[in-house]
């Protein structure tokens, strides 16, 4: 292949990739607040029984044979969701800022937050992650190319990767039991909670329920619903009896990171600037090479 032809082919490929990337970013589901489901976790009711973990493992066919759900030794170290555990419960010692707490510790269930404007979906260049109009952020392993951009993009650092699988590794996370929800059932962890610390329903109604609880028992709850506005809002929201920063929640802005990244991406690819820039660089290299060859020939 001649050099000029090679540059032309390379430029065409880059241009095509740019268009694919721009289209993938722009294909977002219109969110209808009245149709979006979510879960409200009242952390003041959680006793750390980990029945939600057990139910999640069973519903998703995870590592039941290696996971022990009885005893409190698991709380000695802080855990994060991984490829074999989509949700985990951690214990936090008595709050230094809430001396009126009835218990000496707090328990927090951690899983994918299913953001309203998910950064992982924005980062995925092949559409393997999608935001379902009803709330769940779902994953299609058949589309995934293993780039793992989603792991980097997640502001909550939830997504995990099957590094131990050399054949067909997948990105792993809580999928909101979207198949159960589509059938009109509740997520497995919600059904399993004996204290009803997790409530499933329309997100808009859950926010109102949380505000009502704060109004009725202001001494029990911190006047903040975590997930209501963080990173544009999340489908899973929390009521806590102490500041979120004491319970392992990251301090995040209200603006979703994807708003900035997508505005930059759309602005660039809308006018084809990256391909044009690459064409310019390749053209400059070709012109310089031709001039050099002409000088040598002379």
């Amino acid at each position: 292949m001649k050099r000029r032809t090679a540059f032309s082919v390379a430029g065409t490929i880059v241009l095509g990739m740019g268009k694919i990337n721009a289209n993938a970013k722009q294909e977002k589901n219109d969110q209808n607040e009245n149709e979006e489901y979510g879960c409200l976790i009242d952390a003041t009711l959680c006793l750390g029984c980990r029945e939600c973990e057990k139910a999640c493992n069973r519903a998703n066919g995870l590592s039941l044979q290696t996971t022990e759900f009885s005893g409190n030794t698991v709380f000695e170290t802080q855990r994060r969701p991984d490829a074999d555990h989509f949700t985990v419960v951690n214990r936090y010692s008595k709050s230094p800022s809430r001396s009126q707490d009835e218990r000496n510790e707090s328990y927090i269930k951690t899983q994918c937050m299913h953001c309203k404007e998910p950064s992982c979906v924005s980062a995925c260049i092949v559409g393997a992650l999608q935001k379902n109009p009803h709330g769940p952020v779902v994953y299609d392993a058949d589309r995934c190319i293993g780039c793992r951009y989603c792991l980097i993009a997640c502001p909550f650092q939830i997504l995990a990767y099957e590094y131990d699988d050399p054949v067909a590794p997948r990105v792993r996370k809580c999928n909101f039991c979207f198949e159960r929800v589509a059938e009109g059932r509740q997520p497995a962890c919600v059904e399993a909670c004996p204290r009803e610390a997790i409530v499933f329903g329309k997100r808009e109604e859950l926010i109102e329920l949380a505000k009502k609880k704060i109004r009725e028992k202001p001494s029990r709850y911190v006047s903040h619903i975590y997930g209501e506005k963080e990173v544009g809002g999340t489908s899973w929201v929390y009521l806590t009896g102490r500041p979120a920063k004491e319970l392992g929640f990251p301090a995040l802005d209200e603006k979703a990171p994807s708003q900035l990244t997508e505005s930059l991406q759309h602005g660039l690819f809308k006018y084809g600037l990256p391909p044009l820039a690459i064409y310019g660089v390749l053209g400059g290299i070709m012109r310089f090479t031709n001039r050099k060859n002409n000088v040598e020939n002379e």
Side-chain angles (χ1 to χ4, degrees):
M1 183 182 294
K2 295 181 179 180
R3 182 171 57 250
R4 186 185 301 273
T5 305
F7 286 158
S8 177
V9 172
T12 303
I13 292 174
V14 172
L15 178 61
M17 291 179 64
K19 290 182 178 179
I20 291 173
N21 187 61
N23 291 335
K25 301 302 179 182
Q26 290 175 341
E27 289 178 357
K28 297 178 65 177
N29 294 322
D30 294 332
Q31 297 298 314
N32 187 330
E33 184 70 20
N34 293 326
E35 295 181 356
E36 186 175 352
Y37 290 95
C39 283
L40 169 63
I41 297 180
D42 188 339
T44 67
L45 298 177
C46 182
L47 298 177
C49 68
R50 300 175 63 216
E51 287 296 320
C52 55
E53 284 191 46
K54 184 189 298 184
C56 178
N57 274 257
R58 184 181 297 111
N60 292 283
L62 302 178
S63 56
L64 280 171
Q65 68 277 11
T66 60
T67 306
E68 178 61 50
F69 294 102
S70 61
N72 294 326
T73 56
V74 68
F75 294 124
E76 294 177 0
T77 57
Q78 294 293 306
R79 299 177 297 146
R80 299 288 299 170
D82 56 36
D84 291 321
H85 304 83
F86 291 171
T87 186
V88 297
V89 177
N90 285 309
R91 181 176 63 191
Y92 295 85
S93 58
K94 185 176 177 63
S95 170
S97 60
R98 302 276 290 183
S99 58
Q100 68 270 35
D101 283 353
E102 297 179 1
R103 293 183 283 111
N104 291 329
E105 65 280 326
S106 300
Y107 295 91
I108 295 294
K109 177 184 183 296
T110 303
Q111 72 293 305
C112 173
M113 298 289 283
H114 297 277
C115 305
K116 290 173 63 64
E117 300 179 61
S119 297
C120 59
V121 173
S122 176
C124 183
I125 62 177
V126 294
L129 286 160
Q130 294 289 337
K131 176 70 173 179
N132 186 289
H134 296 299
V137 174
V138 296
Y139 169 72
D140 186 349
D142 292 333
R143 289 189 178 186
C144 183
I145 59 175
C147 67
R148 301 186 294 279
Y149 291 160
C150 54
L151 274 68
I152 301 172
C154 177
F156 298 99
Q157 300 179 2
I158 293 295
L159 286 80
Y161 192 68
E162 290 180 320
Y163 289 102
D164 295 335
D165 187 343
V167 179
R170 298 166 294 176
V171 172
R172 306 289 278 164
K173 72 174 193 68
C174 159
N175 59 18
F176 209 148
C177 289
F178 71 96
E179 293 178 346
R180 295 167 60 99
V181 173
E183 296 172 356
R185 303 166 62 192
Q186 296 184 355
C189 60
V190 178
E191 286 187 353
C193 183
R195 295 266 296 175
E196 296 186 359
I198 317 172
V199 180
F200 172 78
K202 299 290 183 66
R203 183 182 186 274
E204 189 177 53
E205 297 174 358
L206 294 177
I207 295 295
E208 292 304 316
L209 173 61
K211 292 179 179 180
K212 179 182 178 182
K213 285 192 171 189
I214 293 174
R215 287 195 304 268
E216 293 178 349
K217 296 182 179 181
S219 61
R220 182 182 182 91
Y221 301 105
V222 172
S223 185
H224 176 70
I225 305 170
Y226 190 88
E228 179 186 9
K229 297 181 179 180
E230 278 79 6
V231 293
T234 59
S235 295
W236 287 66
V237 294
Y238 288 78
L239 271 179
T240 61
R242 52 198 286 192
K245 64 181 180 181
E246 297 180 5
L247 300 172
F249 292 105
L252 300 169
D253 294 333
E254 293 184 4
K255 187 174 182 178
S258 58
Q259 292 183 8
L260 174 61
T261 57
E262 289 188 7
S263 63
L264 292 174
Q265 291 168 348
H266 292 166
L268 287 172
F269 285 108
K270 181 178 181 180
Y271 302 104
L273 295 182
L276 289 176
I278 291 177
Y279 273 127
V281 172
L282 295 177
I285 294 173
M286 186 169 61
R287 183 174 181 180
F288 174 79
T289 303
N290 288 339
R291 179 181 298 176
K292 181 178 179 181
N293 291 336
N294 291 337
V295 172
E296 291 177 352
N297 291 334
E298 292 177 358

Coordinates of all heavy atoms in Angstrom, one line a residue, residues 163-221:
Y163 N -10.8 -10.0 36.7 CA -9.4 -10.2 36.3 C -9.0 -11.7 36.3 O -8.0 -12.0 35.6 CB -8.5 -9.4 37.2 CG -8.6 -7.9 36.9 CD1 -9.4 -7.1 37.8 CD2 -8.0 -7.3 35.9 CE1 -9.5 -5.7 37.6 CE2 -8.1 -5.9 35.7 CZ -8.8 -5.1 36.6 OH -9.0 -3.8 36.4
D164 N -9.6 -12.5 37.1 CA -9.2 -13.9 37.2 C -9.8 -14.7 36.0 O -9.4 -15.9 36.0 CB -9.7 -14.5 38.5 CG -9.0 -13.8 39.7 OD1 -7.9 -13.3 39.5 OD2 -9.6 -13.8 40.8
D165 N -10.6 -14.2 35.2 CA -11.2 -14.9 34.1 C -10.4 -14.5 32.8 O -10.6 -13.5 32.2 CB -12.6 -14.6 33.9 CG -13.3 -15.5 32.9 OD1 -12.6 -16.1 32.0 OD2 -14.6 -15.6 32.8
P166 N -9.5 -15.4 32.3 CA -8.7 -15.1 31.1 C -9.5 -15.2 29.8 O -9.0 -14.8 28.8 CB -7.6 -16.1 31.2 CG -8.2 -17.3 31.9 CD -9.2 -16.8 32.8
V167 N -10.6 -15.9 29.8 CA -11.3 -16.2 28.6 C -12.4 -15.1 28.2 O -12.3 -14.5 27.2 CB -12.0 -17.6 28.7 CG1 -12.8 -17.9 27.4 CG2 -11.0 -18.7 29.0
A168 N -13.3 -14.8 29.2 CA -14.3 -13.9 28.9 C -14.6 -13.1 30.1 O -15.7 -13.2 30.7 CB -15.6 -14.6 28.4
P169 N -13.7 -12.2 30.6 CA -13.9 -11.4 31.8 C -15.0 -10.4 31.5 O -15.2 -9.9 30.4 CB -12.6 -10.7 32.0 CG -12.0 -10.7 30.6 CD -12.4 -11.9 29.9
R170 N -15.8 -10.1 32.6 CA -16.9 -9.2 32.5 C -16.7 -8.1 33.6 O -16.0 -8.2 34.6 CB -18.2 -9.9 32.8 CG -18.6 -11.0 31.8 CD -19.7 -11.9 32.4 NE -19.2 -12.6 33.5 CZ -20.0 -13.4 34.3 NH1 -21.3 -13.5 33.9 NH2 -19.6 -14.1 35.3
V171 N -17.4 -7.0 33.3 CA -17.6 -5.9 34.3 C -18.7 -6.4 35.2 O -19.8 -6.8 34.7 CB -17.9 -4.6 33.7 CG1 -18.3 -3.5 34.7 CG2 -16.7 -4.1 32.9
R172 N -18.5 -6.3 36.5 CA -19.5 -6.8 37.5 C -20.0 -5.7 38.4 O -19.2 -4.9 39.0 CB -18.9 -8.0 38.3 CG -18.3 -9.1 37.4 CD -19.4 -9.8 36.7 NE -20.0 -10.9 37.5 CZ -21.1 -11.5 37.2 NH1 -21.9 -11.1 36.2 NH2 -21.6 -12.5 38.0
K173 N -21.3 -5.7 38.7 CA -21.9 -4.8 39.6 C -23.3 -5.2 39.9 O -23.9 -6.0 39.2 CB -21.8 -3.4 39.1 CG -22.8 -3.1 38.0 CD -22.7 -1.6 37.6 CE -23.9 -1.3 36.7 NZ -25.2 -1.4 37.4
C174 N -23.9 -4.5 40.9 CA -25.4 -4.7 41.1 C -26.2 -4.2 39.9 O -25.9 -3.2 39.3 CB -25.8 -3.8 42.3 SG -27.5 -3.4 42.4
N175 N -27.1 -5.0 39.5 CA -27.9 -4.7 38.3 C -29.4 -4.3 38.7 O -30.2 -4.2 37.8 CB -28.0 -5.8 37.3 CG -28.6 -7.1 37.9 OD1 -29.2 -7.1 38.9 ND2 -28.3 -8.2 37.3
F176 N -29.6 -4.0 40.0 CA -30.9 -3.5 40.5 C -31.9 -4.6 40.3 O -33.1 -4.4 40.4 CB -31.3 -2.3 39.7 CG -32.2 -1.4 40.5 CD1 -32.2 0.0 40.3 CD2 -33.1 -1.8 41.5 CE1 -33.0 0.9 41.0 CE2 -33.9 -1.0 42.2 CZ -33.8 0.4 42.0
C177 N -31.5 -5.9 40.1 CA -32.4 -7.0 39.9 C -33.5 -6.5 38.8 O -34.7 -6.7 39.0 CB -33.1 -7.4 41.2 SG -32.1 -8.2 42.4
F178 N -33.0 -6.0 37.7 CA -33.9 -5.3 36.8 C -34.9 -6.3 36.1 O -36.0 -6.0 35.8 CB -33.1 -4.6 35.7 CG -32.4 -5.6 34.7 CD1 -32.9 -5.9 33.5 CD2 -31.1 -6.1 35.0 CE1 -32.3 -6.7 32.6 CE2 -30.5 -6.9 34.1 CZ -31.0 -7.3 32.9
E179 N -34.5 -7.6 36.1 CA -35.4 -8.6 35.5 C -36.5 -8.8 36.5 O -37.7 -9.0 36.1 CB -34.6 -9.9 35.2 CG -33.6 -9.8 34.1 CD -32.9 -11.0 33.9 OE1 -32.9 -11.9 34.8 OE2 -32.2 -11.2 32.8
R180 N -36.2 -8.9 37.8 CA -37.3 -9.0 38.8 C -38.2 -7.8 38.8 O -39.4 -7.9 38.9 CB -36.7 -9.2 40.2 CG -35.9 -10.5 40.3 CD -35.1 -10.4 41.6 NE -35.9 -10.3 42.8 CZ -36.3 -11.2 43.6 NH1 -35.9 -12.5 43.4 NH2 -37.0 -11.0 44.7
V181 N -37.6 -6.6 38.7 CA -38.4 -5.4 38.7 C -39.3 -5.3 37.5 O -40.4 -4.9 37.5 CB -37.4 -4.1 38.7 CG1 -38.2 -2.8 38.5 CG2 -36.6 -4.1 40.0
A182 N -38.8 -5.8 36.3 CA -39.6 -5.8 35.1 C -40.8 -6.7 35.2 O -41.8 -6.5 34.6 CB -38.8 -6.3 33.9
E183 N -40.7 -7.7 36.1 CA -41.8 -8.6 36.4 C -42.7 -8.1 37.5 O -43.7 -8.8 37.9 CB -41.3 -10.0 36.8 CG -40.5 -10.7 35.7 CD -39.8 -11.9 36.2 OE1 -39.9 -12.2 37.5 OE2 -39.1 -12.7 35.4
G184 N -42.5 -6.9 38.0 CA -43.3 -6.4 39.0 C -42.9 -6.8 40.4 O -43.6 -6.6 41.4
R185 N -41.7 -7.4 40.6 CA -41.2 -7.8 41.9 C -40.2 -6.8 42.4 O -39.7 -6.0 41.7 CB -40.6 -9.2 41.8 CG -41.5 -10.3 41.2 CD -40.8 -11.5 40.8 NE -40.1 -12.1 41.9 CZ -39.2 -13.1 41.8 NH1 -38.8 -13.5 40.5 NH2 -38.6 -13.6 42.8
Q186 N -39.9 -7.0 43.7 CA -38.9 -6.1 44.3 C -37.5 -6.7 44.2 O -37.3 -7.9 44.0 CB -39.2 -6.0 45.8 CG -40.5 -5.3 46.1 CD -40.7 -5.0 47.6 OE1 -39.9 -5.5 48.4 NE2 -41.7 -4.3 48.0
P187 N -36.4 -5.9 44.3 CA -35.1 -6.4 44.3 C -34.9 -7.4 45.4 O -35.5 -7.3 46.5 CB -34.2 -5.2 44.5 CG -35.0 -4.1 43.9 CD -36.4 -4.4 44.2
A188 N -34.0 -8.4 45.2 CA -33.9 -9.5 46.2 C -33.5 -9.0 47.6 O -34.0 -9.5 48.6 CB -32.8 -10.5 45.7
C189 N -32.6 -8.0 47.6 CA -32.1 -7.5 48.9 C -33.3 -6.8 49.7 O -33.3 -6.8 50.9 CB -31.0 -6.5 48.7 SG -31.3 -5.1 47.7
V190 N -34.2 -6.2 48.9 CA -35.3 -5.5 49.6 C -36.2 -6.5 50.2 O -36.7 -6.4 51.4 CB -36.1 -4.6 48.5 CG1 -37.3 -4.0 49.2 CG2 -35.2 -3.6 47.9
E191 N -36.5 -7.6 49.5 CA -37.4 -8.6 50.0 C -36.8 -9.3 51.3 O -37.5 -9.7 52.2 CB -37.7 -9.7 48.9 CG -38.6 -9.2 47.8 CD -39.0 -10.4 46.9 OE1 -38.3 -11.5 47.0 OE2 -39.8 -10.2 46.0
A192 N -35.5 -9.4 51.3 CA -34.8 -10.1 52.4 C -34.7 -9.3 53.7 O -34.5 -9.9 54.7 CB -33.5 -10.6 51.9
C193 N -34.8 -8.0 53.6 CA -34.5 -7.2 54.8 C -35.5 -7.4 55.9 O -36.7 -7.0 55.7 CB -34.4 -5.7 54.4 SG -33.9 -4.7 55.8
P194 N -35.2 -7.9 57.0 CA -36.2 -8.2 58.1 C -36.7 -6.9 58.8 O -37.7 -6.9 59.4 CB -35.4 -9.1 59.0 CG -34.0 -8.7 58.9 CD -33.8 -8.4 57.4
R195 N -35.9 -5.9 58.7 CA -36.3 -4.6 59.4 C -36.9 -3.6 58.5 O -37.2 -2.5 58.9 CB -35.0 -4.0 60.0 CG -34.4 -4.9 61.1 CD -34.8 -4.4 62.5 NE -34.4 -3.1 62.8 CZ -34.8 -2.4 63.9 NH1 -35.6 -3.0 64.7 NH2 -34.4 -1.2 64.1
E196 N -37.1 -3.9 57.2 CA -37.6 -3.0 56.2 C -36.7 -1.7 56.2 O -37.3 -0.6 56.0 CB -39.0 -2.7 56.4 CG -39.9 -3.9 56.3 CD -41.4 -3.6 56.4 OE1 -41.7 -2.4 56.6 OE2 -42.2 -4.5 56.3
A197 N -35.4 -1.9 56.3 CA -34.5 -0.8 56.2 C -34.4 -0.3 54.8 O -33.9 0.8 54.5 CB -33.2 -1.1 56.8
I198 N -34.7 -1.2 53.8 CA -34.7 -0.8 52.4 C -36.1 -0.8 51.9 O -36.8 -1.8 52.0 CB -33.9 -1.8 51.6 CG1 -32.6 -2.2 52.3 CG2 -33.5 -1.3 50.2 CD1 -31.8 -3.4 51.7
V199 N -36.5 0.3 51.3 CA -37.8 0.5 50.7 C -37.7 0.7 49.2 O -36.9 1.6 48.8 CB -38.6 1.7 51.4 CG1 -40.0 1.8 50.7 CG2 -38.7 1.5 52.9
F200 N -38.4 -0.1 48.4 CA -38.4 0.0 47.0 C -39.7 0.8 46.5 O -40.8 0.6 47.0 CB -38.3 -1.4 46.4 CG -38.5 -1.4 44.9 CD1 -37.5 -1.0 44.0 CD2 -39.7 -1.8 44.3 CE1 -37.7 -1.1 42.7 CE2 -39.9 -1.8 42.9 CZ -38.9 -1.4 42.1
G201 N -39.5 1.6 45.5 CA -40.7 2.3 45.0 C -40.3 3.4 44.0 O -39.1 3.4 43.5
K202 N -41.2 4.2 43.6 CA -40.9 5.3 42.7 C -40.0 6.3 43.4 O -40.2 6.7 44.6 CB -42.2 6.1 42.3 CG -43.2 5.2 41.6 CD -42.8 4.9 40.2 CE -43.8 4.1 39.5 NZ -45.0 4.8 39.2
R203 N -38.9 6.7 42.7 CA -37.9 7.5 43.3 C -38.5 8.8 43.9 O -38.1 9.3 45.0 CB -36.8 7.8 42.3 CG -35.6 8.6 42.9 CD -34.6 9.0 41.9 NE -33.4 9.6 42.5 CZ -33.3 10.9 42.7 NH1 -34.3 11.7 42.4 NH2 -32.2 11.5 43.3
E204 N -39.3 9.4 43.1 CA -39.9 10.7 43.6 C -40.7 10.5 44.9 O -40.6 11.4 45.8 CB -40.9 11.2 42.5 CG -41.4 12.6 42.7 CD -42.3 13.1 41.6 OE1 -43.2 12.3 41.2 OE2 -42.0 14.1 41.0
E205 N -41.4 9.4 45.0 CA -42.1 9.1 46.3 C -41.2 8.8 47.4 O -41.5 9.1 48.6 CB -43.1 8.0 46.0 CG -44.2 8.3 45.0 CD -45.1 7.1 44.7 OE1 -44.8 6.0 45.3 OE2 -46.0 7.3 43.9
L206 N -40.1 8.1 47.1 CA -39.1 7.8 48.2 C -38.4 9.1 48.7 O -38.2 9.1 49.9 CB -38.0 6.9 47.6 CG -38.5 5.5 47.2 CD1 -37.4 4.7 46.6 CD2 -39.1 4.7 48.4
I207 N -38.2 10.0 47.9 CA -37.6 11.3 48.3 C -38.6 12.0 49.3 O -38.2 12.5 50.3 CB -37.3 12.2 47.1 CG1 -36.2 11.6 46.3 CG2 -36.8 13.6 47.6 CD1 -34.8 11.4 46.9
E208 N -39.8 12.0 48.9 CA -40.8 12.6 49.8 C -41.0 11.8 51.1 O -41.1 12.5 52.2 CB -42.2 12.6 49.1 CG -42.2 13.6 47.9 CD -41.8 15.0 48.3 OE1 -42.3 15.5 49.4 OE2 -41.1 15.6 47.6
L209 N -40.9 10.5 51.1 CA -40.9 9.7 52.3 C -39.7 10.0 53.2 O -39.9 10.2 54.4 CB -40.9 8.2 51.9 CG -40.8 7.2 53.1 CD1 -42.0 7.4 54.1 CD2 -40.7 5.8 52.6
A210 N -38.5 10.2 52.6 CA -37.4 10.5 53.4 C -37.5 11.9 54.0 O -37.1 12.1 55.2 CB -36.1 10.5 52.5
K211 N -38.0 12.8 53.3 CA -38.2 14.2 53.9 C -39.2 14.2 55.0 O -39.1 14.9 56.0 CB -38.7 15.1 52.8 CG -37.6 15.4 51.7 CD -38.1 16.4 50.6 CE -37.0 16.7 49.6 NZ -37.5 17.6 48.5
K212 N -40.2 13.3 54.9 CA -41.2 13.2 55.9 C -40.6 12.6 57.2 O -40.9 13.1 58.3 CB -42.4 12.3 55.4 CG -43.5 12.1 56.5 CD -44.6 11.2 55.9 CE -45.6 10.9 57.0 NZ -46.7 10.0 56.5
K213 N -39.8 11.6 57.0 CA -39.1 11.0 58.2 C -38.3 12.0 58.9 O -38.2 12.1 60.1 CB -38.3 9.8 57.7 CG -39.1 8.6 57.4 CD -38.1 7.4 57.3 CE -38.9 6.1 57.2 NZ -38.0 4.9 57.2
I214 N -37.5 12.9 58.1 CA -36.7 13.9 58.7 C -37.5 14.9 59.5 O -37.1 15.3 60.6 CB -35.8 14.6 57.7 CG1 -34.8 13.6 57.1 CG2 -35.1 15.8 58.2 CD1 -34.0 14.1 55.9
R215 N -38.7 15.3 58.9 CA -39.5 16.3 59.6 C -40.1 15.7 60.9 O -40.2 16.4 61.9 CB -40.7 16.7 58.7 CG -40.3 17.6 57.5 CD -41.5 18.2 56.9 NE -42.5 17.2 56.5 CZ -42.5 16.7 55.2 NH1 -41.6 17.1 54.3 NH2 -43.4 15.8 54.9
E216 N -40.5 14.4 60.9 CA -41.1 13.8 62.0 C -40.2 13.5 63.1 O -40.5 13.5 64.3 CB -41.9 12.6 61.6 CG -43.1 12.9 60.7 CD -43.8 11.6 60.3 OE1 -43.3 10.5 60.5 OE2 -44.9 11.7 59.7
K217 N -38.9 13.1 62.8 CA -37.9 12.8 63.8 C -36.6 13.4 63.5 O -35.6 12.8 63.1 CB -37.7 11.2 63.8 CG -39.0 10.5 64.2 CD -38.7 9.0 64.3 CE -40.0 8.2 64.7 NZ -39.8 6.8 64.8
P218 N -36.5 14.7 63.7 CA -35.3 15.5 63.3 C -34.1 15.1 64.2 O -33.0 15.3 63.7 CB -35.7 17.0 63.6 CG -36.8 16.9 64.5 CD -37.6 15.6 64.2
S219 N -34.3 14.6 65.4 CA -33.2 14.2 66.2 C -32.6 12.8 65.8 O -31.5 12.5 66.2 CB -33.7 14.1 67.7 OG -34.7 13.2 67.9
R220 N -33.4 12.1 65.1 CA -32.9 10.7 64.6 C -32.1 10.8 63.4 O -31.2 10.0 63.2 CB -34.1 9.8 64.4 CG -33.8 8.4 64.0 CD -35.0 7.6 63.8 NE -34.7 6.2 63.4 CZ -34.6 5.2 64.3 NH1 -34.8 5.5 65.6 NH2 -34.3 4.0 64.0
Y221 N -32.4 11.8 62.5 CA -31.8 11.8 61.2 C -31.0 13.1 61.0 O -31.3 14.1 61.5 CB -32.8 11.7 60.1 CG -33.7 10.4 60.1 CD1 -35.0 10.5 60.6 CD2 -33.2 9.2 59.7 CE1 -35.8 9.4 60.6 CE2 -34.0 8.1 59.8 CZ -35.3 8.2 60.2 OH -36.0 7.0 60.3

